[in-house]
Each structure stands twice: as C-alpha cells, then as structure tokens.
Amino acid sequence: MASSSKVYLPGGPHVWVPADLLSADGADVRLALSAVDATAALDADAPKETIEATLEPPYETAEKLPLRNEGLPKEGAPDMVALDYLHEASVLYNLRQRYFEALPYTYTGTMCIALNPYRWLKHLYEEGGRLEYLRKPREALPPHVYAISAAAYRGVAARSVGGAAAGVDQSILVSGESGAGKTETVKIMMGHLASVAGGGAENEVVKRVLESQPLLESFGNAKTVRNDNSSRFGKFTQLEFDATARLGSGADGPSLVGSRCRTYLLEKSRVIQQAPGERTYHCFYGVARGRDASPLDLAKLHFTREGDLDTGTIEGVKDADRFAKTWAALGLVGVADGDRASLADLLEATLQLGDVDVEETTTSEGEGSELVRGAASEAAAAALGVDEQDLAKALVKRTMKARSEVYEIANTAQQARDARDALAKEIYVRAFDWIVAAINKATSCTVPDLKINVVGLLDIFGFESFAINRFEQLCINYTNEKLQQKFTLDLFKTVQAEYDDEGVPWTHVAFPDNAAVLQLIEGRMGVVDVLNEECVRPRGSDEGFVSKLGALHGKAEESGPASRFVPHRMRKDQFTIKHYAGDVVYTAERWLERNTDALPEDLAKVALASSRPLLATLFQAQTTAVSTKSKLVKDTVCTKFKAQLGKLLEEIERTSVQYVRCIKPNAVKSSSHYDAAMVVDQLRCAGVIEAIRVARAGYPNKLPHSEVVRRFGLLEDGRLAHGALCEALLGKPATQDYDGPFAVGATRVYFKAGALEGLERRRADALGLRAVVVQARWRGMAAARSYRLCKRAVVRLASSYRRRAARNQFLRAKVAAIIAQSARRGVVAARRVEELRKARAATRLVAVHRGRVA
C-alpha cells in the first residue's frame, strides 16, 4: 500500500483509530495516529502520534487495513450506504461525527439508526416539521424516524391509479438494548402518526392511544442499573387507520381510528427480587407513595427491601405524581373507579404476600414446613381476601393426582417459599394482562365493517450477553435470531432490488445465514425440545438437560446445528451458543423450574375463591393441570413463547417492514461521551454489521460514473468513459456468466470486494509518483530562485563596496588637495607679507632720507 494512505488501525479502547500509513514492510508498519477523545469530536489539526506496530490477523498486512472515507462533510454522511468504503470502522466513525453534531439519526439504506442523545433536542420535533416528512421525499430532508413513520403512513394510505384503496399493512421493528431509547422512539413515531393522521390532543381516540403508552410503562417498566425507565417486556402495538380515506395533506389522510397491543415475556422475577441499585415495577412505588393510607413500608417488605429505595423520581416524575397520572389514564381507558381501587389493593397484596414465611418441620413422611402465623400472614390473607388457614394449607402442601387417586405431599420450606413467590408473580402477570386487555378494549376500533389498515410498532428487547446468561436471555436472543433472519432476508431483497434497478448481475451474491443456530434452538431435538423433555422427565435436572444437549450437538462440525454449539469443559451447567451477534455462554440454573413456571393448583384455587372480585376474576381462566406429557410440554414457557413468536412473525410477514435500531452511546447517560466499544458491540448485536456483511457479499463499494472518471482517470487516458476506464484498469466486467471484479450500472459502477481498494492503492501510488515529480520541480524552482536572489545580493554588495571605496578615495584626495592648496596659499601669503614688509621698510627709509635732505 502506498505511503500516506488513510486507514483505520484496529485495537485499543476506541476499537478503531484513524491513522496515516507512513510506511509498510509486510506486517511491520509505521503510522501516524490521530488523537481520539471519547468526549469530543475529532480534530483534524491536532498533532498526531507516530508509532511502529506489527499487524495481526485478520489485518496482517497493510493492504488489509480498512480505508477511510475522505471528503465527508463535518456532519458525516446522512446515509451510510453512500460511503465509498462501507465497513465497521467507517460506520463507527460516521455515527461518531453525527453524534457530536447533535444529529442522532442516520440511515443505512432503508434502516434508521438512532443514537440516544441523552437530551431532548426540541428543534427536531417541532410541530411544523412533522408534515414535511410526509410531503417531501426522504432524501430531501435530514435523517429522522419521522421518515420511517411517514413511509409507513403512506403505505397504509396508498391508492391505485383508479382511486381505489391500495394500502398495505405496515410494521416498524424497533430494537436495541436497555437504555438505548426504544420506548421513547416508539412514542415519537406514534405521536407523529397521530399528528399526520389528522388527530389532535382533543381527539378522544388519539388521546386514548397516546395515553395508553405511559400506562403500560407504569406497569411494565422499572429502574435498572442501565436505564431508569427500562421496559421489562416486549410489545407490538398496531395502530389502526381508516383504509377508505385518501392521502392528502395532514387531516385529509387516513384517520387514526384505534389501536391494539400485544405483549411478550414480562419479567416476572422482578416482582419478587431486584438486583442492588434496581427497582421493581413503577406502579408498586406509586401505590406505596401516592395512595392515601397505603399500608406499604417498602423498606420492610421482603420483595422490595433489597432494591433501590432512595430513588423517588424517574425521568423527572415523582412516584406519587406518576401514580396520579396512571390512575387517571386507567379512567381514560374505561377502568371503573371500583376496579382501580381493587387494582391498587391487589398491588399492595402482592407485596404483602412476600412477608408470609414458613418454617421447617419434620413429619412422618420426611421434611415439611409450617406457616409462621402472625401479623404478616394475617395482613396478606386479608389483602388477598382469602382465609389464612386455606392459604397456609396451599403453601405447605400440594395435591397430586395419579390416575384416580388423589393425595397430598408436604412441601419443604423452600418449596413453600417458591410457591408463595409463584403466586405473587402470577397475580401480577394476570393483572398486567388484564390492564392490556382493558387498554385494547378502550382503544381498538369499534366501527363495524370498517376496512382498516394497521401500522405495527414492535418495541422488542435487543440481543443480550451478560456475565451470567439465564433462561430469559435465551428467550430474548432466540427472538433476536428470528428477527435477524427476517431482517437479513429483507435486506438481501433490497440489495437485489437495487441491482435489478441498476441492471447489475447478482446471481452470484451470497449472504450470511443464521438458519443453523435457529435449528439448534427450535429444531428437532434442539434446545427447546430437549428442555421440554427434561421438564417432563420424573427426575429431570438442569445438568441432565445440558448433558443431553452436549450428547446431541457436542460433536465438532463445520455446518449444521452442532457447528453453533460448544459444550463447557469445566462446568456441567454451562454451554455456549454461537449467535449471529457473538458467542453467548448460558448458565442452566433453575431452567426447568422457569420453563415449567407452573403455579400450584392448590394456590390457584385459593385465589379463585378470593372475596376480592378482581382477584377471583383474574383466576377464572385458570386451567387445571393434567398429568399427560403432551399437555405439560404444551404449557411450558418455551413452547408458548415459540408459538407467540411464530404468530408475531406471521403477522409481520404479511406487512411491509421497516427497521429502527436504537444505540446507547455510553453507560454514564452523558450527552457528550461516545463509548466506541459499547457502540460497536451494539452495532453487531443489532445486526448492522451483519447488514454490512450482506452488502459486502455482492458489491461492497460503488461510485457514481463521474466520480470514477474523476478519481481514476489519471491511471489511464483521462478521456475514456467510466466503463472503458474500468475495463482498462480491472479487466472484463461481471456478467451473468462471468464473475468479474466490477459491474457497470445505470448510474453507478459497482466493485467487488478488494477491487476499489486496489484502484485506490494504484491511485495513491500514481499520486505519490506525481507528488515526487512535483516536489522535484518545486525544489528546482526554489533552488533557482534562491540562486537568483543570492546573485542579486552579491552584485548589490559588490556595487556598494566599490561605491564606498571610490568615495573614500575621493574624500582622501579632496582632503589632500585642500591641504596642498592651503600650504601653497600660506607660502604665497608669507612671500607677500615679506614683500610688504620690505616695501614698508623701503618707504620709511626713503621718507627718512627725504626728510633729512629737505
């Protein structure tokens, strides 16, 4: 590679560092590194550090280092597909440029990447700008999620040439890790859709739809170490639009007539325990701190005392104020005053249930347990509206059925506590589902036979990989694998459509596929099947589940499900799955219990017999357990979730899909800090890097025709056209029958991997040679000019010297002449004086003589 090439060097806390390649000898290189500050934009004028380094695979030679894009504006590229060099480093630094310019949105083709700015950029969401994204083409305006929601709105509002309704259902998939801004992004797009649909705050339907989101936040969001308002569930909200309306300007378009919401994987365990610095769901703190005469003391309750009790304000809203807004929103969606009071009582009862405890006892059958009776058990039973004795019996004993025989088995103290926790979790989950049902009833379209189109907004958890990954992480990552497969196929179709439009051959394009990992998880005798089978086995265990997985998939293979599974050599309860976003080590601790997630039938009957109408209503749908293996497998969390996910994807498949990827720029929630390592990790997990791989599988680089001639015309006859120029430089172009290094499209030239980089290196070498000639000419001109200046100075110096010498000689001659003249005049004067003296003496003598004679 030519010296002074602008590249990225991998490694270090910034993942990639911009550098100028000064020299290279195999793997040994000398570079000038740019100064990178995580809290400030790059300064091109800052001094650079010159280092010597040895490159390592996969960048073991200078030619393999990714090249930097030159000539970008200060705010970076609004659409990264337009970058000449599209790779991980260029994406990372383009997003960095835009982040420090307070531009949180960036396109990557049809996908929008949203970096959380950790501040409200008011100018981006002004009322006047909302309709602009509906009226103008996307490329005419700065990147924004409004462009995504506007495209979805145009999709449902489309009309045929004859004027008939031709709209199709739309979906917008929003993903990202906790704290990346998914929920806020969904609310922004929902507000935009409601605005352009002709509804205002006074519209009752719009008001209910928009108010339902904060309501779900109150019952489904909680404070975590990563995010103060983290959604602990996934939701798919479908906004319903009148398909018979025409698309006009704002109010003339299809109106918003309702919405429906479906939720997924509510985090049950947060009800009974929280990690240090975290809280349970917001609604519990609202009831405890905002309800009059609430009996809850959060610092003493077993379910909350280990969590964060110091935080009383979330995103500027106090818990008591949130409670008031939540209860007002419940009224708006049609929940009666009595039901709202019952719901508050049920939330209090859920937390009070945690203080019910048991103690170990010994029975004739072995270890047992007994309820610790006291104020706590009495308060919990009263709050639940059940008899204390019935609650105690259901906790310490469980009823078993074997054919026609029914018998009771004593629970150990731990089993009784687990049953108590299971009841608390089940109560909350059923209450949450009841609230969702109430919202759907209040917001769904009630006009009979009205043809509607929907825009679905999926707010789903992003790929997760922690120090300890449990059952929940498997479900979350399984979801992301399915969505990534959908995303990859959609992206591949988009790439192929571009090639078709440009007339570029694409039959040889290959793309990454995650079918093997999906087969490992959901296929025959995959993770789901083996886990379900272990759950129904009489003596099933977590270690047995992992051991069976290892026996089925532990053999090293280059393809198939086994290629994605790695057994752990040291621990029997761990295994690794190679996901598209990276390897994840799972710890199978209490997976069978979490997959079964069964509430003991005895406790369900106790709840069903409650004197509290709401609690009894919630448990009316309780199905009695049966002992058949097929029924147990059907009721596992994995099986239910797999079915839910399949139904969700079927619905999404019937729609036109758009994607928003939310990125968290740092962990300290700062508006001026860019953590490159964190951003890269999320780009990989969000599938953005995978999308780049898909793009690079065909023609990773492309340039407009004019740019090809401008950049590479110097390598050949500059009068050649773009096609002839590329053919002269690279050889024969690609066709359907020949896999060439480039292809000429209608507006651009497309280059295979390495082709454009090779041309750039040749261009750099040619420019280097021309630079040497220019430098030599310049040095010759500089030397000649220096000689002329020196000669002129010498001439002037000699002339000045001669003038001064002549003048000095003249002055000496002049002085000598004056002296000689003076001496001569002195001699003449002395003679004259002498003559005068003699004449005077003679006169006196004559006078004396004449006097004497006279």
Side-chain angles (χ1 to χ4, degrees), residues 129 150-151 197 214 257 284 305 387 390 414 424 460 477 517 647 680 726 744 847:
V257 295
F284 288 115
R305 64 191 179 199
D387 183 76
D390 293 341
Q414 186 58 50
I460 201 74
N477 294 341
V517 70
K647 186 176 180 181
V680 162
C726 289
V744 180

Side-chain angles (χ1 to χ4, degrees), residues 718-729:
R719 293 171 295 180
L720 291 176
H722 54 275
L725 177 62
C726 289
E727 193 165 348
L729 294 172

Side-chain angles (χ1 to χ4, degrees), residues 190-257:
M190 285 184 66
H192 181 231
L193 287 167
S195 175
V196 300
E202 70 283 352
N203 185 301
E204 191 66 23
V205 173
V206 172
K207 188 174 182 181
R208 286 183 179 182
V209 170
L210 296 181
E211 285 295 329
S212 66
Q213 298 307 304
L215 183 56
L216 285 174
E217 284 184 25
S218 181
F219 288 91
N221 288 27
K223 178 182 182 293
T224 68
V225 292
R226 294 187 175 187
N227 182 11
D228 289 350
N229 191 29
S230 175
S231 296
R232 308 314 300 162
F233 67 107
K235 65 176 179 289
F236 186 49
T237 305
Q238 291 181 306
L239 302 182
E240 301 170 331
F241 295 88
D242 181 2
T244 61
R246 291 178 177 273
L247 175 62
S249 56
D252 296 331
S255 59
L256 180 64
V257 295

